Amino acid sequence: MTEAESSAVDGTAPVKDAAPARNRPPSWWLLLGRDRAAAVGAVILTVVVLVALFGRLFIGDRARRQDLDASLRPPSLGDGVYGLLGTDVLGRSVLARLIDAAATTLSVAVPAVLCSLLIGSALGLWAGYHGGRRESVVMRVADVILSFPSLLIAVVVLYVFSPSALNIVLILAVARIPVYLRTSRAEAAELRSRLFVDAARTFGTPSRHIIYRHILPIALPTLLTVATLDFCFVMLTESSLSFLGIGIQPPDVSWGLMVAQGRQYLQTAWWITVLPGLAIVLTTVSATVLAAWARIATDPAQRWRLTLPRKRRGASAAVPPEMIP
């Protein structure tokens, strides 16, 4: 007796096969693992952040401990762990100073980016959603800030006031606000005419709730991508200020200050300048590569590119696979 006949006898409907489960989108970790360059960049940035957060707990005062008998020793395996990258003119371990400088550099770059991101995005979303006079006033303020080169403003202000980490953070944060303000304003101005925003407005939803619940989640991936790229700019600016002598001041140390202090020994002790410069390059390049990956991964229209095999990526993959006849 077949299944249908037995079902007819029992008076029950035949059991159908369960519908196949929908294909879930790949996780972020899987997408990151499929892009080797972005994965390497993420690993480098993770190491830098961990070193900046916990490195000082292990090195103690090694970054400031002087030993003139060990002055300008080249990188060697015979001088212990702290001699792997050599010493500077005062006999201080370059490895310990790199670890200490990582914390200082990130303590300037990260707060500056976060402050400018929060203030600029809030003002831009508010101005772009409401439009009119409020938008004009906010954009004119952004134009005034952009009319002055950020590095020149930092040089003038730090020359007048005492150069400190707090002053550098405030200057860089104010100088980078227009970047997020203009980006978020453009996003909000385009989204305020969408159907879902009109529906929320029709039901009497307050403006702040529309901005926070409907516009911000869509604009956030773009803002985070801009913030990742801006982190590179801020870190390079801080290094430039320290190199000019108006940034981080001794006894504190940053990567830019290490490059400045070792430039006169470049021919005799290259490791003093090259190694912190290499740390700057690796960190900024890793952040740039990761930002490019995040731009694609957070865009639903482009995310499918990361699921393709590496050989099919690029110009040949012009349309999603499901649209190919």
Side-chain angles (χ1 to χ4, degrees):
M1 182 180 295
T2 63
E3 181 181 359
E5 292 174 350
S6 62
S7 299
V9 173
D10 297 336
T12 58
V15 179
K16 298 182 179 180
D17 295 334
R22 294 182 178 179
N23 294 328
R24 295 183 179 180
S27 63
W28 294 103
W29 297 110
L30 182 60
L31 292 177
L32 183 61
R34 292 182 176 180
D35 193 324
R36 291 180 180 177
V40 172
V43 170
I44 293 176
L45 287 180
T46 302
V47 171
V48 171
V49 172
L50 292 178
V51 167
L53 291 177
F54 305 107
R56 288 177 173 174
L57 299 178
F58 296 96
I59 63 174
D61 63 342
R62 292 275 184 177
R64 297 178 174 84
R65 187 183 302 176
Q66 300 180 11
D67 184 5
L68 296 181
D69 294 332
S71 177
L72 299 180
R73 284 185 179 177
S76 174
L77 297 176
D79 296 331
V81 176
Y82 294 103
L84 289 176
L85 301 182
T87 60
D88 63 1
V89 66
L90 297 178
R92 296 172 296 190
S93 171
V94 173
L95 175 60
R97 289 176 63 78
L98 281 174
I99 296 174
D100 191 19
T104 304
T105 301
L106 293 188
S107 67
V108 172
V110 173
V113 171
L114 289 179
C115 290
S116 56
L117 171 63
L118 294 177
I119 298 174
S121 300
L123 290 176
L125 292 174
W126 175 77
Y129 175 77
H130 291 286
R133 182 177 299 177
R134 282 173 277 195
E135 182 180 11
S136 299
V137 171
V138 171
M139 295 309 297
R140 297 297 78 77
V141 173
D143 292 339
V144 170
I145 298 176
L146 286 175
S147 62
F148 297 95
S150 58
L151 184 59
L152 179 60
I153 295 177
V155 169
V156 173
V157 173
L158 293 176
Y159 182 79
V160 175
F161 299 95
S162 60
S164 63
L166 178 60
N167 290 339
I168 296 174
V169 170
L170 294 177
I171 294 170
L172 295 179
V174 172
R176 305 307 296 172
I177 284 177
V179 176
Y180 305 96
L181 196 154
R182 295 167 72 94
T183 303
S184 58
R185 174 260 169 194
E187 292 282 343
E190 192 273 333
L191 293 172
R192 68 184 177 189
S193 59
R194 294 287 186 90
L195 184 60
F196 62 91
V197 176
D198 291 337
R201 193 183 300 113
T202 302
F203 283 103
T205 306
S207 299
R208 63 181 182 274
H209 290 168
I210 295 177
I211 295 174
Y212 177 74
R213 295 179 180 178
H214 300 288
I215 297 180
L216 178 60
I218 299 178
L220 188 59
T222 301
L223 294 173
L224 293 179
T225 303
V226 174
T228 306
L229 294 173
D230 197 47
F231 168 79
C232 304
F233 178 84
V234 171
M235 192 173 69
L236 291 174
T237 303
E238 183 277 326
S239 300
S240 301
L241 294 173
S242 299
F243 182 82
L244 294 175
I246 54 177
I248 301 299
Q249 301 296 310
D252 295 330
V253 60
S254 68
W255 287 338
L257 182 60
M258 291 182 66
V259 174
Q261 292 177 341
R263 66 182 184 272
Q264 57 183 329
Y265 306 102
L266 187 58
Q267 294 182 349
T268 57
W270 56 267
W271 55 89
I272 302 177
T273 301
V274 172
L275 294 179
L278 185 62
I280 296 173
V281 172
L282 286 177
T283 305
T284 53
V285 170
S286 299
T288 303
V289 172
L290 193 61
W293 171 85
R295 178 181 58 83
I296 300 176
T298 55
D299 186 357
Q302 300 293 329
R303 190 181 305 159
W304 59 271
R305 295 180 182 273
L306 298 176
T307 63
L308 296 177
R310 295 185 182 91
K311 295 181 179 180
R312 294 186 55 189
R313 296 178 189 175
S316 59
V319 295
E322 61 269 13
M323 296 182 62
I324 299 176

